[in-house]
């Protein structure tokens, strides 16, 4: 990579590396980090070629080692705090501004990287994942983790940190570079530009890498943070009607599939379709291949339930992933009790009963005589007056899964906290956007570097049926109850 010097106003930056495998926009993001001049305001003069454009071809510009480049443009104004008087948001440090604004920073698009930006904004909304990354040591956890996975984990931690302490958009250059090194498919080029990629593939690969890196170094504990946060345990019955063979299987996955057909109008219907499938395999009793039906049920719940809408399929005629535009409604509150195994349902009964009782109290449906001094305590689930169900719940078997406290139990009820949408007709084209619920309860649309507040009632309108943004991945957070 050639190293150049950049002259801007009275400043001279003597050693700026240019990665000629990346578009000039990435170089502009580097200069933004150095100077504070946003890429859209930069005018970069290339000797003999005029202004540098975002899609210019480096090979035709003849950049030489040590070349001097002139940049013009004004940096974002930094408002100085008055010595006395009121303190305005602009006067606060960026970390305090981020808290005051109520949402984290956006991410610059480095050239068809909206799939990556939207994925990272959704995962960034999981505080338990951020906590685990903060505890991840710079040197790595174990010797069996390959270097590229370690570097991607560190880059994820650093990017989340940058998002938390900034109001201005962040250029995820280091993360993108490491992601492409670990997974070269995300570095595919077409006519000199980086290609659009599938956000679901990006999501899956990042979670897989983090699951390897964030495992406990103590093998006796077998603590897997990512599995506890996102892992779904399935138990399946595999039956062959022709031979009468019956067997059972168990597996762990990180997302449920919502299969879409002409019969599916709602997420719940698509999930039921996704848990039932046909497969062809060798039958020992028949001595040949036979068709088996695999019927799965959820046997272990995560803290965060991820659902992928299977909207893309391979179309042979056009040799690309085509998109199913059918409208599929999804709720803000999702109850998956009926998708669970019998064993898990039994474990969920007591927590669910207590949750219903608590919801009834909050709604004023089951008011009982209380002393005025005990009103505040009634709000706390742990201090609520026990009904017959809650008396039984104290002896109930803990529900498998992760909760913020060992006394918190999962209920099978989940609240929507993030939606990753796609606009366009193909997974490898179009535009991806993240819609994320903040800690203050407000929804923010992260369209790359542009965070836009949204109303909650508009989030469920991203259900498809046209060319507008439609849900591709939904992430729900478990509603827990103190037992």
């Amino acid at each position: 990579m050639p190293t150049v010097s950049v002259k801007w106003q009275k400043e001279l930056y003597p050693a700026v590396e240019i990665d000629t495998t990346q578009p000039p926009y990435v170089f502009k993001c580097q200069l933004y980090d150095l100077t504070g001049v946003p890429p859209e305001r930069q005018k970069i003069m290339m000797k003999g070629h005029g202004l540098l454009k975002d899609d210019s071809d480096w090979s035709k510009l003849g950049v030489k080692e040590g070349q001097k480049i002139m940049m013009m443009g004004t940096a974002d104004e930094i408002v100085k705090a008055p010595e006395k008087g009121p303190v305005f948001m602009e006067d606060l440090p960026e970390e305090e501004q981020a808290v005051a604004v109520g949402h984290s920073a956006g991410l610059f698009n480095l050239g068809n990287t909206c799939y990556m930006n939207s994925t990272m904004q959704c995962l960034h909304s999981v505080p338990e994942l951020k906590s685990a990354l903060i505890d991840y040591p710079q040197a790595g956890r174990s010797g069996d983790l390959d270097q590229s996975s370690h570097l991607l984990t560190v880059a994820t931690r650093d990017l989340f940190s940058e998002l938390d302490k900034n109001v201005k958009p962040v250029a995820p250059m280091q993360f993108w570079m490491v992601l492409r090194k670990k997974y070269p498919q995300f570095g595919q080029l077409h006519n000199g530009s980086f290609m659009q990629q599938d956000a679901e593939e990006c999501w899956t690969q990042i979670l897989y890498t983090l699951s390897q890196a964030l495992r406990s170094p103590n093998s006796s504990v077998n603590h897997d943070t990512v599995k506890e946060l996102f892992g779904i345990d399935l138990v399946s019955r595999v039956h062959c009607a022709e031979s009468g063979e019956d067997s059972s299987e168990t597996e762990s996955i990180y997302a449920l599939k919502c299969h879409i057909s002409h019969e599916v109008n709602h997420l719940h219907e698509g999930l039921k379709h996704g848990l039932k499938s046909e497969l062809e395999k060798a039958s020992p009793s028949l001595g040949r291949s036979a068709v088996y039906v695999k019927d799965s049920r959820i046997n272990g719940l995560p803290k965060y339930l991820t659902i992928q809408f299977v909207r893309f399929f391979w179309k042979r005629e056009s040799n690309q992933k085509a998109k199913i535009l059918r409208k599929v409604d999804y709720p803000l509150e999702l109850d998956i009790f009926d998708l669970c195994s019998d064993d898990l349902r039994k474990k969920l009964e007591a927590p669910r009963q207590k949750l219903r009782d608590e919801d009834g109290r909050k709604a004023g449906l089951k008011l009982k005589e209380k002393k005025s001094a005990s009103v505040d305590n009634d709000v706390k689930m742990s201090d609520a007056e026990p009904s017959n169900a809650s008396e039984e719940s104290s002896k109930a078997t803990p529900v498998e899964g992760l909760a913020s406290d060992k006394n918190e139990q999962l209920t099978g009820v989940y609240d929507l906290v993030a939606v990753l949408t796609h606009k366009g007709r193909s997974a490898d084209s179009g535009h991806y956007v993240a819609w994320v619920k903040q800690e203050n309860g407000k929804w923010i649309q992260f369209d790359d570097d542009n965070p836009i507040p949204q109303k909650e009632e508009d989030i469920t309108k991203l259900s498809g049926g046209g060319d507008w943004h439609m849900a591709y991945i939904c992430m729900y957070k478990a509603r827990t109850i103190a037992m």
Side-chain angles (χ1 to χ4, degrees):
M1 293 188 291
T3 300
V4 299
S5 60
V6 179
K7 180 75 167 64
W8 173 66
Q9 295 182 356
K10 296 180 181 180
E11 302 291 334
L12 179 65
Y13 301 92
V16 182
E17 287 188 342
I18 298 180
D19 187 347
T20 54
T21 64
Q22 300 185 15
Y25 186 80
V26 176
F27 176 59
K28 290 185 176 183
C29 290
Q30 286 178 258
L31 298 182
Y32 170 67
D33 285 342
L34 291 172
T35 65
V37 180
E40 63 272 14
R41 292 190 205 162
Q42 295 177 17
K43 292 185 179 180
I44 301 172
M45 305 301 296
M46 303 297 293
K47 190 174 181 180
H49 297 277
L51 289 175
L52 177 67
K53 298 180 180 179
D54 291 349
D55 57 353
S56 295
D57 187 347
W58 285 117
S59 63
K60 296 178 181 179
L61 298 180
V63 179
K64 298 178 181 178
E65 180 70 24
Q67 181 175 332
K68 191 172 183 178
I69 295 177
M70 180 78 69
M71 187 188 83
M72 295 179 288
T74 56
D76 286 337
E77 181 182 1
I78 300 176
V79 181
K80 294 183 179 180
E83 293 182 5
K84 296 181 179 180
V87 178
F88 297 96
M89 186 183 298
E90 294 85 352
D91 304 325
L92 298 171
E94 282 223 32
E95 290 186 39
E96 294 183 30
Q97 286 188 37
V99 174
V101 168
H103 62 77
S104 56
L107 289 166
F108 279 118
N109 191 316
L110 304 180
N112 284 330
T113 58
C114 57
Y115 69 93
M116 178 187 77
N117 290 349
S118 54
T119 295
M120 297 312 291
Q121 291 288 8
C122 290
L123 294 178
H124 173 254
S125 69
V126 180
E128 297 91 341
L129 182 60
K130 288 194 285 186
S131 296
L133 286 166
I134 289 172
D135 293 336
Y136 181 76
Q138 191 73 26
R141 284 214 185 274
S142 61
D144 59 352
L145 185 69
D146 64 277
Q147 182 68 2
S148 60
S149 295
H150 166 64
L151 292 176
L152 183 57
T153 304
V154 172
T156 303
R157 179 194 66 194
D158 294 345
L159 179 58
F160 283 179
S161 176
E162 286 294 310
L163 288 174
D164 282 333
K165 66 185 182 183
N166 281 286
V167 175
K168 298 174 185 176
V170 173
M173 289 180 294
Q174 179 65 21
F175 177 84
W176 188 38
M177 181 181 71
V178 176
L179 177 67
R180 287 183 289 127
K181 186 174 182 179
K182 173 64 179 175
Y183 300 106
Q185 64 267 36
F186 297 123
Q188 291 177 312
L189 294 170
H190 180 67
N191 294 331
S193 299
F194 286 101
M195 296 173 60
Q196 177 69 284
Q197 301 291 334
D198 188 340
E200 188 274 332
E201 182 181 2
C202 181
W203 184 300
T204 300
Q205 299 288 27
I206 290 171
L207 274 191
Y208 174 76
T209 299
L210 296 180
S211 72
Q212 301 299 304
L214 298 179
R215 284 178 177 168
S216 172
N218 186 349
S219 58
S220 63
V221 177
N222 196 25
H223 181 70
D224 188 338
T225 300
V226 173
K227 185 180 184 305
E228 290 177 340
L229 287 173
F230 302 99
I232 306 162
D233 292 331
L234 295 182
V235 58
S236 305
R237 179 196 177 210
V238 183
H239 176 71
C240 178
E242 188 178 0
S243 66
E245 294 170 67
D246 230 343
S247 62
S248 61
E249 298 177 357
T250 59
E251 61 181 316
S252 292
I253 58 176
Y254 287 139
L256 293 178
K257 306 286 187 182
C258 173
H259 284 261
I260 302 174
S261 67
H262 66 279
E263 301 173 347
V264 174
N265 297 302
H266 192 274
L267 171 61
H268 221 86
E269 297 166 341
L271 291 176
K272 288 182 178 179
H273 279 268
L275 289 172
K276 193 169 186 177
S277 60
E278 285 189 354
L279 61 150
E280 187 175 335
K281 64 176 185 176
S283 168
S285 60
L286 297 176
R288 57 175 172 81
S289 293
V291 175
Y292 290 75
V293 174
K294 182 178 180 180
D295 195 1
S296 302
R297 288 290 179 267
I298 300 170
N299 202 42
L301 295 171
K303 182 70 176 289
Y304 292 87
L305 180 67
T306 305
I307 296 170
Q308 181 211 348
F309 291 78
V310 186
R311 288 200 171 275
F312 298 104
F313 66 97
W314 189 257
K315 196 171 184 179
R316 293 181 179 177
E317 296 83 4
S318 58
N319 199 33
Q320 66 176 2
K321 290 180 183 177
K323 187 175 182 181
I324 301 172
L325 301 177
R326 183 178 180 83
K327 181 179 180 181
V328 179
D329 291 321
Y330 57 91
L332 292 171
E333 177 188 307
L334 178 66
D335 189 345
I336 60 168
F337 181 76
D338 64 322
L339 304 180
C340 297
S341 65
D342 290 341
D343 287 344
L344 182 55
R345 289 187 192 185
K346 291 177 182 177
K347 295 176 183 178
L348 291 173
E349 284 177 359
R352 288 171 66 85
Q353 182 60 52
K354 189 168 184 181
L355 179 65
R356 284 192 291 268
D357 291 344
E358 185 61 28
D359 287 343
R361 273 189 286 272
K362 288 180 179 179
L365 299 178
K366 291 186 178 180
L367 294 177
K368 296 181 179 181
E369 292 183 4
K370 301 183 183 82
K371 295 180 180 180
S372 58
S374 67
V375 171
D376 290 339
N377 290 334
D378 289 336
V379 178
K380 299 179 182 178
M381 297 179 183
S382 59
D383 293 334
E385 291 184 36
S387 61
N388 292 335
S390 59
E391 288 174 359
E392 295 172 4
S393 71
S394 62
K395 304 175 184 177
T397 304
V399 180
E400 294 180 17
L402 178 73
S404 58
D405 188 286
K406 291 184 178 180
N407 294 323
E408 293 284 326
Q409 292 295 306
L410 300 174
T411 61
V413 179
Y414 287 80
D415 295 306
L416 186 67
V417 291
V419 182
L420 190 154
T421 61
H422 178 266
K423 179 182 179 182
R425 295 288 177 127
S426 170
D428 302 324
S429 63
H431 186 52
Y432 291 97
V433 167
W435 314 67
V436 182
K437 190 174 185 178
Q438 307 301 294
E439 291 183 4
N440 58 16
K442 296 181 179 179
W443 283 87
I444 299 294
Q445 173 191 351
F446 287 99
D447 188 352
D448 287 326
D449 58 328
N450 186 24
I452 307 168
Q454 297 290 338
K455 296 178 180 179
E456 186 172 66
E457 56 264 30
D458 293 332
I459 302 303
T460 53
K461 295 178 182 178
L462 305 166
S463 52
D467 284 330
W468 178 236
H469 279 284
M470 60 186 73
Y472 185 32
I473 298 175
C474 282
M475 185 168 72
Y476 287 83
K477 182 178 181 179
R479 192 180 298 179
T480 60
I481 193 82
M483 300 298 288

